[in-house]
Amino acid sequence: MLDFLNPILGRKPDRIKANVEIYTWQTCPYCIRAKTLLWWKGVNFTEYKIDGDEAARKAMADRANGRRSVPQIFINNEHVGGCDDIHKLDAEGQLDPLLAQPVV
């Protein structure tokens, strides 16, 4: 949509090869913060909005090693955690390499 801004903003969506999934609640500030980071990186992610859906929350928890808080984020079907976890990965320089790995 606004691809002409990518070089200005330092976004490199062409380097993203991973499949990214995120479970969210619509008004959750942590979900919004995590999605903003992913957007900033140029990630096209699959979002599962589970607002009030207990069956969907259980399915998320089953995938997320019992974690029931949102967001829960998966990269190439591997659970990486929530908002703080993905921001920590980014701060430590570990997020970009994960995002560059193609789906196996």
Side-chain angles (χ1 to χ4, degrees):
M1 172 166 52
L2 299 174
D3 291 338
F4 69 93
L5 289 175
N6 287 339
I8 297 166
L9 298 174
R11 296 175 75 218
K12 298 176 177 73
D14 55 312
R15 294 186 185 173
I16 308 299
K17 307 291 185 222
N19 177 44
V20 179
E21 301 168 277
I22 181 171
Y23 289 82
T24 66
W25 277 51
Q26 189 170 350
T27 58
C28 165
Y30 298 103
C31 299
I32 294 166
R33 186 170 177 244
K35 291 189 301 183
T36 300
L37 174 62
L38 293 171
W39 174 84
W40 189 262
K41 298 252 176 216
V43 177
N44 289 321
F45 53 86
T46 301
E47 181 178 8
Y48 304 108
K49 296 178 184 175
I50 64 168
D51 301 60
D53 184 341
E54 194 54 39
R57 188 172 212 149
K58 183 185 177 325
M60 175 198 74
D62 289 345
R63 284 187 76 191
N65 304 312
R67 290 177 69 176
R68 295 180 50 82
S69 61
V70 287
Q72 291 302 318
I73 304 159
F74 297 82
I75 299 176
N76 288 339
N77 210 31
E78 292 292 322
H79 182 239
V80 296
C83 181
D84 291 342
D85 301 309
I86 199 166
H87 277 274
K88 182 179 179 191
L89 285 171
D90 188 44
E92 294 173 349
Q94 297 175 12
L95 182 58
D96 289 343
L98 283 176
L99 295 173
Q101 293 179 0
V103 180
V104 182

